[in-house]
Amino acid sequence: MSRIADSHQDVADLDVVDLELVISTPDLTRRPTRPPDYASENRALGALLEAMTASPDDILQKLAETALDLCRAHSAGFSLLDGERKRFRWAAIAGVWASHLGDGTPRNFGPCGTVLDRNGPLLFSSPERHFKYLTSVAPHIEEGLLLPFYVGGEAVGTIWIIAHDQSRSFDAEDLRVMTNLAHFAAVAYAARNRQVAVRADVNSALATGDSLRGMLQACTEAVIRHLDDAFAGIWITTKDASVLELQASAGISTHLDGAHSRIPVGHLKIGHITQERTPHVTNDVVNDPRLGVPDWARAEGMVAFAGYPLVAGGQAVGVLAMFSRKPISQATQEMLSAISDTIAQGIRRAQGEAALRRSEAFLAEAQRLSSTGSFSWRVATDEITWSEQAYRIFELDQGVPVTLDLIRTRVHLGDIPLWNEMINWARGGGSDFEFEHQLQMPDHSVKYLRVIAHGTRDQDGRLEYIGTIQDVTERRVSEEALGNARSELARVARVTSMGALTASIAHEVNQPLAGILTNANTCLRMLAADPPNVDGARETARRTIRDGNRASDVITRLRTFFVKKNPVTESVDLNEAAREVIALSLSELQRSRMVLQPELADDLPPVTGDRVQLQQVIMNLLLNASEAMSAVDDRPRQLVIRTERDESDGVRLTVQDAGVGFESQGADRLFDAFYTTKSGGMGIGLSVSRSIIESHHGRIWATPNEGPGATFSFSIPCGSEGVTGAHSLAAIRVPAVTDAQHIIGNP
């Protein structure tokens, strides 16, 4: 645009001929006139009418191409005045000059401006002799025929054709054709503007955020204003889709409570349009039996009717209908069809927003009753959004910008390290998380919070957490009281049980150990004699081996004795069993600052076995993992318990910690009796666990993590026919799970 519009400044010092010397309009009538080709002209006008209906936004380009073809020109186009009427924009160009589409010229200096000033067609010959800025436009203009066109009595632009060399000279026939095209351009431009205006007003009405009825009323008024209709109305269906209710009315009737304010679906023409989801348009209302309003139409002078179903998501949500005192063109019908789709989407959106507002109100009340707030946290920007209840929980004024620093001021001093660990872990790209911490309120009261969050990523990979904050103070106080009582009971049971176990082991193992020591000393004395008593030493060594085997047999008998109870075989939901163990051990895990993350599969099949024994194994693995992380201070104490289907048609339970781990070369011995990696351990728990799992026809194993910690897993077949052997701590009589955590907690 600018390379042509302002180029006249660069040639201001060149010689300029008089304007009249470049205008040769009289030559049009003096030249021989080619014969008219009405057939081609009629075909072209018909094609323009079809184009006007199909794509009104492209009609000016179609007109330029038609002018180029009918007048056999080298270039053709349209120049339109801008909104301030100071410049012309070349809005459509066909032919050689097509590359200049979008360029233009000043209103007060150029051939287009001269044509509007003289209010008539002009033929220019080599106009660059006067309009020097045109010297920069290639190829140059040999001849140019320009005609003004008007909309509503106001000049809006010019239509023009150009010959770039002497092979083509324009004549009176070209002037006649261009005059007809200028009239068509005025009509097409006005129609296009009406369509653009009504669509713009409808879109604007639907975007106001007003009530649904207010938006639809603005839509009907836009139809009346731009299409000059007599009446326009919009009905929408009720929730059960059985009745149409009039929501907006403009034109000769603005009442919403008349005889047709409620129309059953399937009744009258409006109801049939909804039921059939098919438009109905007629330009002969009086004689249309499907409308059935001949007397009213005749009295009001109605000629045309158009009704369009409002369809969104495959469902009819209403009807847009209008009456007019003049025929409805095909272009107008296409436009009404388009805005009907827009209105339908607007209705669906407004109804969805209303439903969302109701849902938000219900959610806010539910959050208040359950003391649960919700939040979102965009990690990259630290943008945090809280619900109203979250503000109440933290006792902050609603609307105060929420930041991590503000939240930290409410966190209890003793829980700040845990809170910092979780924030840093979440920033590092973790997925979901769950943890509990305390708040220290301004009045020095303490609140207990449970935070659960789910991590998602947007299309740019940026992490966002969506979660809940629940005030669990009352529950936590009750749980702590119960936990204290349970811990005291368990401590008494542990002391009693460990005493019995110690006495049993000491009694059974002491005798063979004494024999081993005696034989070993005797062997040494025989070997130290001079000469050494080799035969006697050999016999003494054999007795030492014998006593060692006796000690091994004692251990085997003790291990069998631990599980002297007959198993109870039943169908066991491993997820449910795990949840019960988690519930029993949760208080102890929380006191140890463990971050427990259950990942229990939804489609886990049941197994057959002894529920109590399996829970003993789960409890053992959980507490072992907790003890392995008791000294960890440089990372979150993350503890994961996971269930899933096994590759061998079984189910698997895994406990993964971030503790001290173990050396891979010692993995095979972890489940041996009396083998332990702990300074105070006895090496019983994992051995008993292995016996239980093997009696369920399964297997148990351990692997070190790639990072810190270890993973312990066991797998049980789904089709197990029961538990084999006897595997319980009958000698110690440990209650089902609560006391077992203290008996088998140290492998």
Side-chain angles (χ1 to χ4, degrees), residues 396 404-412 416 419 440-441:
L396 294 170
L404 293 176
D405 290 337
L406 177 62
I407 297 173
R408 189 182 289 108
T409 62
R410 286 286 199 262
V411 177
H412 193 282
I416 285 181
W419 190 83
Q440 181 77 55
M441 308 312 294

Side-chain angles (χ1 to χ4, degrees), residues 46-242:
L48 286 173
L49 287 172
E50 292 181 1
M52 184 63 191
T53 299
S55 54
D57 292 340
D58 300 328
I59 190 60
L60 295 184
Q61 184 62 34
K62 296 293 183 182
L63 271 166
E65 294 169 359
T66 301
L68 183 77
D69 182 54
L70 293 179
C71 296
R72 303 171 190 171
H74 299 144
S75 294
F78 277 87
S79 297
L80 298 179
L81 283 172
D82 62 14
E84 297 180 353
R85 304 182 64 81
K86 293 182 178 180
R87 305 179 77 89
F88 285 99
R89 178 176 63 88
W90 294 356
I93 301 179
V96 177
W97 263 16
S99 62
H100 297 301
L101 181 66
D103 289 345
T105 58
R107 162 64 178 87
N108 59 355
F109 187 80
C112 292
T114 303
V115 168
L116 293 192
D117 290 340
R118 300 197 178 190
N119 195 26
L122 293 176
L123 179 68
F124 292 89
S125 298
S126 299
E128 67 274 5
R129 292 178 295 159
H130 178 76
F131 304 105
K132 288 298 183 179
Y133 69 90
L134 290 176
T135 58
S136 64
V137 184
H140 78 282
I141 302 172
E142 183 68 25
E143 281 191 357
L145 176 59
L146 286 74
L147 289 81
F149 71 95
Y150 304 81
V151 174
E154 182 180 16
V156 297
T158 63
I159 179 173
W160 40 265
I161 52 176
I162 293 174
H164 294 295
D165 55 45
Q166 296 180 358
S167 64
R168 181 73 177 93
S169 297
F170 301 124
D171 54 30
E173 176 60 16
D174 297 307
L175 178 60
R176 184 191 69 80
V177 171
M178 291 295 289
T179 300
N180 288 340
L181 291 179
H183 290 315
F184 189 95
V187 174
Y189 188 77
R192 174 181 174 275
N193 282 352
R194 284 197 302 272
Q195 294 177 23
V196 170
V198 71
R199 283 185 290 182
D201 284 356
V202 165
N203 287 328
S204 176
L206 296 175
T208 58
D210 199 357
S211 66
L212 176 59
R213 180 167 289 185
M215 291 189 296
L216 297 182
Q217 183 63 33
C219 290
T220 58
E221 291 172 357
V223 171
I224 294 295
R225 180 169 56 253
H226 295 294
L227 302 183
D228 195 23
D229 292 321
F231 167 80
I234 295 177
W235 288 258
I236 65 174
T237 57
T238 54
K239 286 185 178 180
D240 60 1
S242 63

Side-chain angles (χ1 to χ4, degrees), residues 273-285:
I273 290 173
T274 305
Q275 187 177 57
E276 299 165 3
R277 291 190 296 179
T278 303
H280 179 70
V281 181
T282 179
N283 284 321
D284 189 7
V285 172

